[in-house]
Amino acid sequence: MPALACCVDAAAVAPPGYAAFIAGDSSLPSAVPFSASTADAADSNSTHWSPAHSSALYRIDGWGAPYFSVNNAGNITVRPYGTDTLAHQEIDLLKIVKKVSDPKSVGGLGLQLPLIVRVPDVLKNRLESLQSAFESAIQAQGYESHYQGVYPVKCNQDRFVVQDIVKFGAPFRFGLEAGSKPELLLAMSCLCKGNPEALLVCNGFKDAEYIFLALLARKLALNTVIVLEEEEEVDLVIEISKKLSVRPVIGVRAKLRTKHSGHFGSTSGEKGKFGLTTIQILRVVKKLQDSGLLDCLQLLHFHIGSQIPSTALLQAGVVEAAQIYSELARLGADMKVIDIGGGLGIDYDGSKSGNSDLSVSYGLQEYASAVVNAVRFVCDRKSIKHPIICSESGRAIVSHHSILIFEAMSATAPTTPAMNQVDLPFILEGLSEDARVDCWNLSQAAMRHETETCFVYADQLKQRCVEQFKEGTLGIEQLAAVDGLCDLVSKVVDASEPARTYHVNLSIFTSIPDFWSIGQIFPIVPIHRLDERPEVRGILSDLTCDSDGKIDKFIGGETSLPLHGLEGNGGGSSGGANGRYYLGMFLGGAYQESLGGVHNLFGGPSVVSVSQSDGPYSFAVTRAAPGPSCGDVLRVMQHEPELMFETLKHRAEEFCGQDHGNEGTHAALVSTIARSFHNMPYLVVASPCSLTAMNNNGFYYCNEEDYNAAVGSGASEDEQWSYCYA
């Protein structure tokens, strides 16, 4: 030990290998920049980066086809009609962002990001594609009935989404499914303008009021089916239908034995949350028979889980359900519809894999063919009339039509020092003997490229130094130097560039809640600069004051995302976006809006609907709505913004209104408070600073227009508050 201590204590006589390590010997491997690995991923022989390379790197053709692609300018485009989209009909997402976010004074809409872009043309194409797939399978297999789908509104209850689905689905009797009383009310209202044959499927747990509303819907000539989720519900249906003199149409949800593994299959199978067992189904049949309502039992419903991974599993479930359907027909029920529930999956990562919650191994046509074949096989064998096939495909209908766009505001680069910056004598000064030994062992393991050993000694060294720091025997400068040494060794041994943290103007809890809650991964891609080689890898950190507010898992099993440098932070061209860097999250049209919360009181994004147009920009904004204001989200939590404003206004008068020579300043301050209630909670991102300072005694405004409105309008306080909530 004395010899080792001598070596460690005397930097001048450090062993040759150790000295080389301190000096930065060129024989040591340097960190491999990210650009080399990305080039290998797309084209190892290419020195010129193209949009095709980015498309391959981000798997856009895998998860995005046929609705998303990259154009020659390096921007992501939407192909609103899928495979039928012509080149001039593609919609450039960057142009949408520019139109939406530019000030009104230059022809923009003046909306703030984050932004949801809806493309109803994609929604229409998804409905038509699903319908076409079933019609093709029915015709090919000689099936003697038809397909008639419903959209489960729980996937996205937005008014315009549901109304568009009813409108687009009217030619082929597409209906709606509700799972609660408010969903039933919105479905009833929307279907008043739909096809009269469209089904209104009433799922979910029910009380007397729910069943009353469903029977009322039937009285209003809506094609309503009450699906029994619990055995006791049949008693309410029998009782209330007699009081209303309405003959109900009833379905039962069967609890199948067939289930699939993974998160999305957890509610299926014999121990699933929903549905009736065979014993309960037989008791329901007996009660209906005794009440003279057995002919009202016309639908069988089942659901084996969302994101069904393969057609083999799908067919197993459909065959089991078709057997139950046939038995109900044999028992005297007037069976007409088999509702296969949801489960039609989408490929989130482009892998076409049947072994993952993120992907499926089939397309629309394979799905439809498997369903039709399974139902036909059982019914033909039992000599049962072919039923109407209904599905509740929500995720597959709405996921593609919605894109979440948000901005990266800044990036935190790794702070690993260069080799020649390591001051080993300074590091060793003040270390305990055990820590010095760890330092020596760490350096030797690094010279031998023993990765695991390096990590062990680095952890030991850090732990010992932290203990010394807590005891007060080690200064913060030395602790930081030890951290730098450990990071440097890790970088040298690992030979990879550490991921940067990109700070994004977004709340993950509000806009991507499934990532936080169940680990659902969505494709996230820069929507521009895809003609440039990404220089770094990064993770995304949101605005919330929560350590879970980050995205560090991406498609393909990656723990970081290929990204471009920001202006002033690694650079690269701005891609026509005025130096800003925009990212898009795709395939998030289902569930994310309905599940999003208000963590840190961040509300939802701004929303625009965009339709394909033959004008110069290939699109027209048909609807636009700013995101909820600070006042709006405060109201959600039972606060009263008007009273809050009055309190702050009086406080301003008390403490800031005493300078009678500066009445304008006081008025501007009150107006600014009012505007803060009106503005969105998200950051206003401007360059070079997020706020532009106006010369008004130190007060700050978002821009010159806000400043002029605040100090030059001469509006009364009531008018200022009216502006706040106009």
PDB file of all heavy atoms in Angstrom, residues 66-68 78-91 119-126 128-129 610-614 618-619:
ATOM      1  N   PRO A  66     -49.727   5.344 -45.151  1.00  0.00           N
ATOM      2  CA  PRO A  66     -49.479   6.159 -46.355  1.00  0.00           C
ATOM      3  C   PRO A  66     -49.749   7.648 -46.138  1.00  0.00           C
ATOM      4  O   PRO A  66     -49.944   8.377 -47.100  1.00  0.00           O
ATOM      5  CB  PRO A  66     -50.507   5.577 -47.331  1.00  0.00           C
ATOM      6  CG  PRO A  66     -51.692   5.268 -46.450  1.00  0.00           C
ATOM      7  CD  PRO A  66     -51.113   4.828 -45.122  1.00  0.00           C
ATOM      8  N   TYR A  67     -49.741   8.099 -44.860  1.00  0.00           N
ATOM      9  CA  TYR A  67     -50.205   9.460 -44.579  1.00  0.00           C
ATOM     10  C   TYR A  67     -49.091  10.480 -44.347  1.00  0.00           C
ATOM     11  O   TYR A  67     -49.353  11.680 -44.403  1.00  0.00           O
ATOM     12  CB  TYR A  67     -51.131   9.443 -43.356  1.00  0.00           C
ATOM     13  CG  TYR A  67     -52.356   8.592 -43.572  1.00  0.00           C
ATOM     14  CD1 TYR A  67     -52.492   7.367 -42.925  1.00  0.00           C
ATOM     15  CD2 TYR A  67     -53.360   8.987 -44.454  1.00  0.00           C
ATOM     16  CE1 TYR A  67     -53.604   6.573 -43.133  1.00  0.00           C
ATOM     17  CE2 TYR A  67     -54.476   8.198 -44.666  1.00  0.00           C
ATOM     18  CZ  TYR A  67     -54.590   6.990 -44.004  1.00  0.00           C
ATOM     19  OH  TYR A  67     -55.697   6.209 -44.229  1.00  0.00           O
ATOM     20  N   PHE A  68     -47.867  10.031 -44.090  1.00  0.00           N
ATOM     21  CA  PHE A  68     -46.793  10.972 -43.797  1.00  0.00           C
ATOM     22  C   PHE A  68     -45.551  10.621 -44.614  1.00  0.00           C
ATOM     23  O   PHE A  68     -45.230   9.447 -44.805  1.00  0.00           O
ATOM     24  CB  PHE A  68     -46.453  10.959 -42.303  1.00  0.00           C
ATOM     25  CG  PHE A  68     -47.626  11.248 -41.413  1.00  0.00           C
ATOM     26  CD1 PHE A  68     -48.268  10.224 -40.731  1.00  0.00           C
ATOM     27  CD2 PHE A  68     -48.117  12.541 -41.289  1.00  0.00           C
ATOM     28  CE1 PHE A  68     -49.364  10.483 -39.932  1.00  0.00           C
ATOM     29  CE2 PHE A  68     -49.219  12.807 -40.491  1.00  0.00           C
ATOM     30  CZ  PHE A  68     -49.852  11.779 -39.810  1.00  0.00           C
ATOM     31  N   VAL A  78     -48.139  15.864 -44.933  1.00  0.00           N
ATOM     32  CA  VAL A  78     -49.307  15.006 -44.733  1.00  0.00           C
ATOM     33  C   VAL A  78     -49.871  14.660 -46.104  1.00  0.00           C
ATOM     34  O   VAL A  78     -50.060  15.540 -46.949  1.00  0.00           O
ATOM     35  CB  VAL A  78     -50.383  15.711 -43.889  1.00  0.00           C
ATOM     36  CG1 VAL A  78     -51.570  14.783 -43.654  1.00  0.00           C
ATOM     37  CG2 VAL A  78     -49.809  16.177 -42.561  1.00  0.00           C
ATOM     38  N   ARG A  79     -50.162  13.383 -46.310  1.00  0.00           N
ATOM     39  CA  ARG A  79     -50.792  12.914 -47.544  1.00  0.00           C
ATOM     40  C   ARG A  79     -52.247  12.619 -47.200  1.00  0.00           C
ATOM     41  O   ARG A  79     -52.589  11.525 -46.756  1.00  0.00           O
ATOM     42  CB  ARG A  79     -50.055  11.691 -48.076  1.00  0.00           C
ATOM     43  CG  ARG A  79     -48.542  11.936 -48.214  1.00  0.00           C
ATOM     44  CD  ARG A  79     -47.788  10.740 -48.768  1.00  0.00           C
ATOM     45  NE  ARG A  79     -48.019  10.622 -50.201  1.00  0.00           N
ATOM     46  CZ  ARG A  79     -48.562   9.567 -50.798  1.00  0.00           C
ATOM     47  NH1 ARG A  79     -48.952   8.540 -50.071  1.00  0.00           N
ATOM     48  NH2 ARG A  79     -48.732   9.535 -52.098  1.00  0.00           N
ATOM     49  N   PRO A  80     -53.136  13.613 -47.368  1.00  0.00           N
ATOM     50  CA  PRO A  80     -54.494  13.534 -46.802  1.00  0.00           C
ATOM     51  C   PRO A  80     -55.359  12.414 -47.353  1.00  0.00           C
ATOM     52  O   PRO A  80     -56.292  11.972 -46.680  1.00  0.00           O
ATOM     53  CB  PRO A  80     -55.091  14.907 -47.119  1.00  0.00           C
ATOM     54  CG  PRO A  80     -54.287  15.425 -48.261  1.00  0.00           C
ATOM     55  CD  PRO A  80     -52.914  14.887 -48.075  1.00  0.00           C
ATOM     56  N   TYR A  81     -55.076  11.954 -48.574  1.00  0.00           N
ATOM     57  CA  TYR A  81     -55.894  10.894 -49.161  1.00  0.00           C
ATOM     58  C   TYR A  81     -55.151   9.566 -49.202  1.00  0.00           C
ATOM     59  O   TYR A  81     -55.483   8.674 -49.991  1.00  0.00           O
ATOM     60  CB  TYR A  81     -56.333  11.296 -50.569  1.00  0.00           C
ATOM     61  CG  TYR A  81     -56.920  12.688 -50.640  1.00  0.00           C
ATOM     62  CD1 TYR A  81     -56.381  13.662 -51.476  1.00  0.00           C
ATOM     63  CD2 TYR A  81     -58.002  13.051 -49.833  1.00  0.00           C
ATOM     64  CE1 TYR A  81     -56.909  14.942 -51.528  1.00  0.00           C
ATOM     65  CE2 TYR A  81     -58.534  14.322 -49.866  1.00  0.00           C
ATOM     66  CZ  TYR A  81     -57.979  15.267 -50.720  1.00  0.00           C
ATOM     67  OH  TYR A  81     -58.507  16.540 -50.757  1.00  0.00           O
ATOM     68  N   GLY A  82     -54.139   9.410 -48.382  1.00  0.00           N
ATOM     69  CA  GLY A  82     -53.395   8.171 -48.342  1.00  0.00           C
ATOM     70  C   GLY A  82     -52.687   7.893 -49.646  1.00  0.00           C
ATOM     71  O   GLY A  82     -52.035   8.766 -50.235  1.00  0.00           O
ATOM     72  N   THR A  83     -52.821   6.689 -50.132  1.00  0.00           N
ATOM     73  CA  THR A  83     -52.132   6.299 -51.372  1.00  0.00           C
ATOM     74  C   THR A  83     -52.664   7.026 -52.589  1.00  0.00           C
ATOM     75  O   THR A  83     -51.999   7.060 -53.635  1.00  0.00           O
ATOM     76  CB  THR A  83     -52.267   4.782 -51.591  1.00  0.00           C
ATOM     77  OG1 THR A  83     -53.661   4.421 -51.571  1.00  0.00           O
ATOM     78  CG2 THR A  83     -51.534   4.007 -50.496  1.00  0.00           C
ATOM     79  N   ASP A  84     -53.842   7.611 -52.489  1.00  0.00           N
ATOM     80  CA  ASP A  84     -54.426   8.338 -53.625  1.00  0.00           C
ATOM     81  C   ASP A  84     -54.002   9.803 -53.674  1.00  0.00           C
ATOM     82  O   ASP A  84     -54.450  10.549 -54.554  1.00  0.00           O
ATOM     83  CB  ASP A  84     -55.962   8.265 -53.570  1.00  0.00           C
ATOM     84  CG  ASP A  84     -56.478   6.846 -53.775  1.00  0.00           C
ATOM     85  OD1 ASP A  84     -55.803   6.079 -54.487  1.00  0.00           O
ATOM     86  OD2 ASP A  84     -57.541   6.509 -53.220  1.00  0.00           O
ATOM     87  N   THR A  85     -53.174  10.233 -52.747  1.00  0.00           N
ATOM     88  CA  THR A  85     -52.739  11.630 -52.709  1.00  0.00           C
ATOM     89  C   THR A  85     -51.762  11.912 -53.844  1.00  0.00           C
ATOM     90  O   THR A  85     -50.787  11.184 -54.030  1.00  0.00           O
ATOM     91  CB  THR A  85     -52.061  11.944 -51.362  1.00  0.00           C
ATOM     92  OG1 THR A  85     -52.936  11.580 -50.290  1.00  0.00           O
ATOM     93  CG2 THR A  85     -51.731  13.429 -51.253  1.00  0.00           C
ATOM     94  N   LEU A  86     -52.025  12.983 -54.595  1.00  0.00           N
ATOM     95  CA  LEU A  86     -51.111  13.413 -55.643  1.00  0.00           C
ATOM     96  C   LEU A  86     -50.026  14.299 -55.040  1.00  0.00           C
ATOM     97  O   LEU A  86     -50.198  14.860 -53.946  1.00  0.00           O
ATOM     98  CB  LEU A  86     -51.874  14.165 -56.725  1.00  0.00           C
ATOM     99  CG  LEU A  86     -53.012  13.390 -57.400  1.00  0.00           C
ATOM    100  CD1 LEU A  86     -53.738  14.279 -58.406  1.00  0.00           C
ATOM    101  CD2 LEU A  86     -52.487  12.129 -58.072  1.00  0.00           C
ATOM    102  N   ALA A  87     -48.924  14.452 -55.754  1.00  0.00           N
ATOM    103  CA  ALA A  87     -47.775  15.195 -55.218  1.00  0.00           C
ATOM    104  C   ALA A  87     -48.160  16.616 -54.826  1.00  0.00           C
ATOM    105  O   ALA A  87     -47.738  17.120 -53.775  1.00  0.00           O
ATOM    106  CB  ALA A  87     -46.643  15.206 -56.237  1.00  0.00           C
ATOM    107  N   HIS A  88     -48.970  17.287 -55.639  1.00  0.00           N
ATOM    108  CA  HIS A  88     -49.311  18.687 -55.348  1.00  0.00           C
ATOM    109  C   HIS A  88     -50.341  18.810 -54.228  1.00  0.00           C
ATOM    110  O   HIS A  88     -50.650  19.924 -53.780  1.00  0.00           O
ATOM    111  CB  HIS A  88     -49.840  19.371 -56.613  1.00  0.00           C
ATOM    112  CG  HIS A  88     -51.218  18.923 -57.014  1.00  0.00           C
ATOM    113  ND1 HIS A  88     -51.450  17.792 -57.751  1.00  0.00           N
ATOM    114  CD2 HIS A  88     -52.439  19.465 -56.766  1.00  0.00           C
ATOM    115  CE1 HIS A  88     -52.741  17.644 -57.961  1.00  0.00           C
ATOM    116  NE2 HIS A  88     -53.368  18.649 -57.362  1.00  0.00           N
ATOM    117  N   GLN A  89     -50.883  17.685 -53.766  1.00  0.00           N
ATOM    118  CA  GLN A  89     -51.879  17.724 -52.693  1.00  0.00           C
ATOM    119  C   GLN A  89     -51.260  17.515 -51.316  1.00  0.00           C
ATOM    120  O   GLN A  89     -51.964  17.630 -50.310  1.00  0.00           O
ATOM    121  CB  GLN A  89     -52.942  16.644 -52.946  1.00  0.00           C
ATOM    122  CG  GLN A  89     -53.773  16.886 -54.198  1.00  0.00           C
ATOM    123  CD  GLN A  89     -54.704  15.725 -54.504  1.00  0.00           C
ATOM    124  OE1 GLN A  89     -54.369  14.558 -54.265  1.00  0.00           O
ATOM    125  NE2 GLN A  89     -55.876  16.039 -55.023  1.00  0.00           N
ATOM    126  N   GLU A  90     -49.982  17.212 -51.244  1.00  0.00           N
ATOM    127  CA  GLU A  90     -49.336  17.018 -49.952  1.00  0.00           C
ATOM    128  C   GLU A  90     -49.273  18.336 -49.178  1.00  0.00           C
ATOM    129  O   GLU A  90     -49.050  19.397 -49.761  1.00  0.00           O
ATOM    130  CB  GLU A  90     -47.933  16.437 -50.137  1.00  0.00           C
ATOM    131  CG  GLU A  90     -47.930  15.037 -50.727  1.00  0.00           C
ATOM    132  CD  GLU A  90     -46.556  14.412 -50.740  1.00  0.00           C
ATOM    133  OE1 GLU A  90     -45.616  15.022 -50.190  1.00  0.00           O
ATOM    134  OE2 GLU A  90     -46.416  13.307 -51.292  1.00  0.00           O
ATOM    135  N   ILE A  91     -49.465  18.243 -47.872  1.00  0.00           N
ATOM    136  CA  ILE A  91     -49.528  19.428 -47.014  1.00  0.00           C
ATOM    137  C   ILE A  91     -48.271  19.484 -46.145  1.00  0.00           C
ATOM    138  O   ILE A  91     -47.992  18.556 -45.380  1.00  0.00           O
ATOM    139  CB  ILE A  91     -50.785  19.400 -46.128  1.00  0.00           C
ATOM    140  CG1 ILE A  91     -52.051  19.296 -46.989  1.00  0.00           C
ATOM    141  CG2 ILE A  91     -50.843  20.635 -45.242  1.00  0.00           C
ATOM    142  CD1 ILE A  91     -53.321  19.067 -46.175  1.00  0.00           C
ATOM    143  N   VAL A 119     -56.402  16.799 -39.355  1.00  0.00           N
ATOM    144  CA  VAL A 119     -56.587  16.714 -40.800  1.00  0.00           C
ATOM    145  C   VAL A 119     -57.810  15.835 -41.050  1.00  0.00           C
ATOM    146  O   VAL A 119     -57.698  14.599 -41.148  1.00  0.00           O
ATOM    147  CB  VAL A 119     -55.338  16.140 -41.497  1.00  0.00           C
ATOM    148  CG1 VAL A 119     -55.474  16.264 -43.009  1.00  0.00           C
ATOM    149  CG2 VAL A 119     -54.076  16.862 -41.022  1.00  0.00           C
ATOM    150  N   PRO A 120     -59.007  16.437 -41.143  1.00  0.00           N
ATOM    151  CA  PRO A 120     -60.223  15.646 -41.347  1.00  0.00           C
ATOM    152  C   PRO A 120     -60.178  14.771 -42.598  1.00  0.00           C
ATOM    153  O   PRO A 120     -60.821  13.714 -42.633  1.00  0.00           O
ATOM    154  CB  PRO A 120     -61.317  16.723 -41.455  1.00  0.00           C
ATOM    155  CG  PRO A 120     -60.774  17.888 -40.694  1.00  0.00           C
ATOM    156  CD  PRO A 120     -59.305  17.870 -40.945  1.00  0.00           C
ATOM    157  N   ASP A 121     -59.418  15.190 -43.615  1.00  0.00           N
ATOM    158  CA  ASP A 121     -59.306  14.355 -44.817  1.00  0.00           C
ATOM    159  C   ASP A 121     -58.698  12.992 -44.480  1.00  0.00           C
ATOM    160  O   ASP A 121     -59.075  11.967 -45.068  1.00  0.00           O
ATOM    161  CB  ASP A 121     -58.450  15.054 -45.872  1.00  0.00           C
ATOM    162  CG  ASP A 121     -59.115  16.300 -46.438  1.00  0.00           C
ATOM    163  OD1 ASP A 121     -60.352  16.283 -46.592  1.00  0.00           O
ATOM    164  OD2 ASP A 121     -58.404  17.286 -46.709  1.00  0.00           O
ATOM    165  N   VAL A 122     -57.748  12.963 -43.555  1.00  0.00           N
ATOM    166  CA  VAL A 122     -57.158  11.691 -43.118  1.00  0.00           C
ATOM    167  C   VAL A 122     -58.199  10.867 -42.372  1.00  0.00           C
ATOM    168  O   VAL A 122     -58.309   9.640 -42.552  1.00  0.00           O
ATOM    169  CB  VAL A 122     -55.916  11.937 -42.248  1.00  0.00           C
ATOM    170  CG1 VAL A 122     -55.435  10.633 -41.608  1.00  0.00           C
ATOM    171  CG2 VAL A 122     -54.798  12.563 -43.068  1.00  0.00           C
ATOM    172  N   LEU A 123     -58.993  11.522 -41.529  1.00  0.00           N
ATOM    173  CA  LEU A 123     -60.063  10.841 -40.800  1.00  0.00           C
ATOM    174  C   LEU A 123     -61.030  10.179 -41.777  1.00  0.00           C
ATOM    175  O   LEU A 123     -61.411   9.007 -41.618  1.00  0.00           O
ATOM    176  CB  LEU A 123     -60.790  11.861 -39.927  1.00  0.00           C
ATOM    177  CG  LEU A 123     -61.672  11.367 -38.794  1.00  0.00           C
ATOM    178  CD1 LEU A 123     -60.864  10.583 -37.781  1.00  0.00           C
ATOM    179  CD2 LEU A 123     -62.356  12.554 -38.125  1.00  0.00           C
ATOM    180  N   LYS A 124     -61.418  10.910 -42.776  1.00  0.00           N
ATOM    181  CA  LYS A 124     -62.332  10.383 -43.795  1.00  0.00           C
ATOM    182  C   LYS A 124     -61.708   9.197 -44.519  1.00  0.00           C
ATOM    183  O   LYS A 124     -62.362   8.172 -44.757  1.00  0.00           O
ATOM    184  CB  LYS A 124     -62.678  11.498 -44.786  1.00  0.00           C
ATOM    185  CG  LYS A 124     -63.700  11.137 -45.851  1.00  0.00           C
ATOM    186  CD  LYS A 124     -64.082  12.389 -46.637  1.00  0.00           C
ATOM    187  CE  LYS A 124     -65.195  12.122 -47.639  1.00  0.00           C
ATOM    188  NZ  LYS A 124     -64.718  11.364 -48.798  1.00  0.00           N
ATOM    189  N   ASN A 125     -60.437   9.301 -44.856  1.00  0.00           N
ATOM    190  CA  ASN A 125     -59.763   8.215 -45.547  1.00  0.00           C
ATOM    191  C   ASN A 125     -59.668   6.969 -44.681  1.00  0.00           C
ATOM    192  O   ASN A 125     -59.806   5.845 -45.182  1.00  0.00           O
ATOM    193  CB  ASN A 125     -58.368   8.663 -45.987  1.00  0.00           C
ATOM    194  CG  ASN A 125     -57.667   7.635 -46.837  1.00  0.00           C
ATOM    195  OD1 ASN A 125     -56.902   6.804 -46.335  1.00  0.00           O
ATOM    196  ND2 ASN A 125     -57.918   7.665 -48.143  1.00  0.00           N
ATOM    197  N   ARG A 126     -59.434   7.146 -43.378  1.00  0.00           N
ATOM    198  CA  ARG A 126     -59.373   5.990 -42.489  1.00  0.00           C
ATOM    199  C   ARG A 126     -60.718   5.270 -42.426  1.00  0.00           C
ATOM    200  O   ARG A 126     -60.788   4.035 -42.466  1.00  0.00           O
ATOM    201  CB  ARG A 126     -58.958   6.412 -41.079  1.00  0.00           C
ATOM    202  CG  ARG A 126     -57.534   6.892 -40.949  1.00  0.00           C
ATOM    203  CD  ARG A 126     -56.524   5.837 -41.308  1.00  0.00           C
ATOM    204  NE  ARG A 126     -56.465   4.750 -40.347  1.00  0.00           N
ATOM    205  CZ  ARG A 126     -55.728   3.653 -40.493  1.00  0.00           C
ATOM    206  NH1 ARG A 126     -55.013   3.484 -41.589  1.00  0.00           N
ATOM    207  NH2 ARG A 126     -55.715   2.709 -39.567  1.00  0.00           N
ATOM    208  N   GLU A 128     -63.124   5.318 -44.719  1.00  0.00           N
ATOM    209  CA  GLU A 128     -63.370   4.698 -46.019  1.00  0.00           C
ATOM    210  C   GLU A 128     -62.505   3.459 -46.220  1.00  0.00           C
ATOM    211  O   GLU A 128     -62.960   2.455 -46.796  1.00  0.00           O
ATOM    212  CB  GLU A 128     -63.120   5.716 -47.131  1.00  0.00           C
ATOM    213  CG  GLU A 128     -64.127   6.849 -47.151  1.00  0.00           C
ATOM    214  CD  GLU A 128     -63.760   7.950 -48.138  1.00  0.00           C
ATOM    215  OE1 GLU A 128     -62.596   7.977 -48.584  1.00  0.00           O
ATOM    216  OE2 GLU A 128     -64.635   8.792 -48.432  1.00  0.00           O
ATOM    217  N   SER A 129     -61.262   3.505 -45.747  1.00  0.00           N
ATOM    218  CA  SER A 129     -60.364   2.362 -45.895  1.00  0.00           C
ATOM    219  C   SER A 129     -60.844   1.172 -45.072  1.00  0.00           C
ATOM    220  O   SER A 129     -60.778   0.018 -45.528  1.00  0.00           O
ATOM    221  CB  SER A 129     -58.940   2.747 -45.480  1.00  0.00           C
ATOM    222  OG  SER A 129     -58.425   3.768 -46.302  1.00  0.00           O
ATOM    223  N   VAL A 610     -57.254  21.400 -40.680  1.00  0.00           N
ATOM    224  CA  VAL A 610     -56.684  21.767 -41.971  1.00  0.00           C
ATOM    225  C   VAL A 610     -57.220  20.818 -43.036  1.00  0.00           C
ATOM    226  O   VAL A 610     -57.183  19.597 -42.851  1.00  0.00           O
ATOM    227  CB  VAL A 610     -55.139  21.692 -41.928  1.00  0.00           C
ATOM    228  CG1 VAL A 610     -54.549  21.964 -43.296  1.00  0.00           C
ATOM    229  CG2 VAL A 610     -54.589  22.687 -40.909  1.00  0.00           C
ATOM    230  N   SER A 611     -57.711  21.379 -44.125  1.00  0.00           N
ATOM    231  CA  SER A 611     -58.196  20.573 -45.241  1.00  0.00           C
ATOM    232  C   SER A 611     -57.340  20.827 -46.468  1.00  0.00           C
ATOM    233  O   SER A 611     -56.799  21.929 -46.654  1.00  0.00           O
ATOM    234  CB  SER A 611     -59.659  20.900 -45.549  1.00  0.00           C
ATOM    235  OG  SER A 611     -60.499  20.477 -44.496  1.00  0.00           O
ATOM    236  N   GLN A 612     -57.240  19.807 -47.298  1.00  0.00           N
ATOM    237  CA  GLN A 612     -56.491  19.956 -48.536  1.00  0.00           C
ATOM    238  C   GLN A 612     -57.188  20.955 -49.444  1.00  0.00           C
ATOM    239  O   GLN A 612     -58.412  20.998 -49.549  1.00  0.00           O
ATOM    240  CB  GLN A 612     -56.361  18.595 -49.236  1.00  0.00           C
ATOM    241  CG  GLN A 612     -55.326  18.552 -50.342  1.00  0.00           C
ATOM    242  CD  GLN A 612     -55.855  19.069 -51.673  1.00  0.00           C
ATOM    243  OE1 GLN A 612     -57.023  18.862 -52.006  1.00  0.00           O
ATOM    244  NE2 GLN A 612     -55.009  19.747 -52.435  1.00  0.00           N
ATOM    245  N   SER A 613     -56.387  21.814 -50.080  1.00  0.00           N
ATOM    246  CA  SER A 613     -56.915  22.852 -50.954  1.00  0.00           C
ATOM    247  C   SER A 613     -56.026  22.950 -52.177  1.00  0.00           C
ATOM    248  O   SER A 613     -54.825  22.644 -52.121  1.00  0.00           O
ATOM    249  CB  SER A 613     -56.958  24.198 -50.215  1.00  0.00           C
ATOM    250  OG  SER A 613     -57.222  25.260 -51.100  1.00  0.00           O
ATOM    251  N   ASP A 614     -56.598  23.385 -53.277  1.00  0.00           N
ATOM    252  CA  ASP A 614     -55.829  23.520 -54.514  1.00  0.00           C
ATOM    253  C   ASP A 614     -55.143  24.878 -54.628  1.00  0.00           C
ATOM    254  O   ASP A 614     -54.653  25.234 -55.693  1.00  0.00           O
ATOM    255  CB  ASP A 614     -56.740  23.297 -55.729  1.00  0.00           C
ATOM    256  CG  ASP A 614     -57.194  21.851 -55.827  1.00  0.00           C
ATOM    257  OD1 ASP A 614     -56.448  20.980 -55.359  1.00  0.00           O
ATOM    258  OD2 ASP A 614     -58.292  21.604 -56.353  1.00  0.00           O
ATOM    259  N   SER A 618     -51.570  24.399 -50.734  1.00  0.00           N
ATOM    260  CA  SER A 618     -52.143  23.045 -50.678  1.00  0.00           C
ATOM    261  C   SER A 618     -53.016  22.796 -49.460  1.00  0.00           C
ATOM    262  O   SER A 618     -53.421  21.664 -49.221  1.00  0.00           O
ATOM    263  CB  SER A 618     -51.041  21.971 -50.721  1.00  0.00           C
ATOM    264  OG  SER A 618     -50.297  22.073 -51.908  1.00  0.00           O
ATOM    265  N   PHE A 619     -53.308  23.827 -48.658  1.00  0.00           N
ATOM    266  CA  PHE A 619     -54.177  23.603 -47.505  1.00  0.00           C
ATOM    267  C   PHE A 619     -54.945  24.873 -47.169  1.00  0.00           C
ATOM    268  O   PHE A 619     -54.570  25.988 -47.565  1.00  0.00           O
ATOM    269  CB  PHE A 619     -53.372  23.161 -46.283  1.00  0.00           C
ATOM    270  CG  PHE A 619     -52.512  24.236 -45.662  1.00  0.00           C
ATOM    271  CD1 PHE A 619     -53.000  25.063 -44.662  1.00  0.00           C
ATOM    272  CD2 PHE A 619     -51.194  24.422 -46.082  1.00  0.00           C
ATOM    273  CE1 PHE A 619     -52.209  26.055 -44.095  1.00  0.00           C
ATOM    274  CE2 PHE A 619     -50.392  25.400 -45.524  1.00  0.00           C
ATOM    275  CZ  PHE A 619     -50.901  26.219 -44.527  1.00  0.00           C
TER     276      PHE A 619
END
